[in-house]
Amino acid sequence: MEPEHRAVLRKFRVQLSDQLLASDTIVPFLYQEGVLTEAQVQQVEAQLTNRQKNLKLLDLLPNRGPRAFGAFLEALQDFSWIRDRLLLELQNSAGTGPNSAGTGPNSAGTGPNSAGTGPSGGAAVPVRYHDDPSRIPVSVLQRVPSDRELSRLAQRLGAEWEAVLLDLGVSAEALYRCRSDHSLNHWGAVLDGLVLWRRAGGRRATLGRLLRSLEAADLHPSVLEEALLG
């Protein structure tokens, strides 16, 4: 890995450790691309919290060869705002551009979950918020939300987030851990809680189930619609 790439990862270490979901798409993609070995994947997964997994990944990346940084950027398909900040930092660094060493963000079809996730097709679902029906198609509500969709939803949830997660079946103890792990980062706490729900629920953790809990917390369906549409 080039020195300027190491410097960027070091500069944004705290933000990256708080905002990424290493296990769900990033680590599998890096393993697929040969950046991480199976043993290193196990090292990351052995960490207890999402933040610790992120930190372990950031410890491993600088020593994974010249392709590591470019592959890492490609793995941030679902975290485009983070990728853009890293690229901007590189661009502002002397002698480093955002498209150097194969790190351009526009590599077609190489990022995780590159298939579109926007709601399209299918009939309108008969879920209502008072007299306002949700416009999200049934076909979309039947699937499990992606990292990107959970991340966008976490940005839109305010003080109601705990009520939503409790309705989803996340325990009060788990919510306390989310708050403790991200005491200065509301978004990170909400996202951790949503990821816990998705992992525990498996195929039952659908967007439709999520919509019902949002409505139970008196949130309008548009909160979820905006997260899906981006």
Side-chain angles (χ1 to χ4, degrees):
M1 184 177 289
E2 298 295 328
E4 58 267 25
H5 297 159
R6 293 172 183 263
V8 168
L9 292 181
R10 184 168 58 251
K11 180 173 181 178
F12 289 94
R13 183 178 174 86
V14 173
Q15 292 94 320
L16 291 169
S17 66
D18 281 340
Q19 298 181 20
L20 296 182
L21 295 173
S23 294
D24 293 297
T25 56
I26 298 174
V27 167
F29 181 77
L30 294 175
Y31 176 68
Q32 169 190 302
E33 295 300 301
V35 173
L36 296 180
T37 66
E38 184 175 353
Q40 289 168 335
V41 170
Q42 293 174 356
Q43 288 178 36
V44 174
E45 294 301 330
Q47 306 305 307
L48 297 178
T49 68
N50 185 63
R51 187 171 189 273
Q52 290 171 339
K53 291 178 181 181
N54 292 335
L55 289 171
K56 173 57 70 174
L57 175 62
L58 293 172
D59 288 340
L60 293 171
L61 278 177
N63 298 315
R64 297 308 301 159
R67 294 180 54 251
F69 189 78
F72 178 62
L73 289 183
E74 291 182 37
L76 296 180
Q77 175 88 9
D78 291 342
F79 301 90
S80 57
W81 69 97
I82 299 176
R83 181 191 61 199
D84 290 346
R85 289 187 67 183
L86 297 181
L87 288 170
L88 181 61
E89 179 65 22
L90 281 176
Q91 190 174 24
N92 291 335
S93 299
T96 306
N99 296 316
S100 63
T103 61
N106 297 318
S107 300
T110 56
N113 297 329
S114 57
T117 57
S120 60
V125 65
V127 178
R128 292 177 175 269
Y129 177 86
H130 303 306
D131 294 324
D132 187 4
S134 167
R135 294 170 293 180
I136 305 173
V138 173
S139 59
V140 173
L141 290 176
Q142 290 174 342
R143 64 173 174 78
V144 176
S146 67
D147 291 344
R148 179 186 301 179
E149 290 161 349
L150 290 184
S151 178
R152 288 173 174 167
L153 179 61
Q155 291 177 316
R156 289 165 171 80
L157 291 181
E160 312 90 345
W161 73 278
E162 293 190 31
V164 171
L165 287 168
L166 286 171
D167 189 77
L168 288 169
V170 179
S171 69
E173 181 182 358
L175 289 181
Y176 175 78
R177 288 198 300 271
C178 290
R179 290 195 302 270
S180 299
D181 290 343
H182 303 277
S183 58
L184 300 178
N185 185 349
H186 172 82
W187 174 87
V190 180
L191 184 56
D192 257 11
L194 289 171
V195 171
L196 284 174
W197 161 71
R198 186 181 64 182
R199 287 176 179 166
R203 293 182 179 180
R204 297 188 304 275
T206 64
L207 287 163
R209 178 66 184 88
L210 186 54
L211 179 59
R212 290 197 296 274
S213 289
L214 291 173
E215 291 192 319
D218 209 30
L219 291 169
H220 195 275
S222 62
V223 174
L224 183 58
E225 291 168 9
E226 291 169 0
L228 296 178
L229 293 171

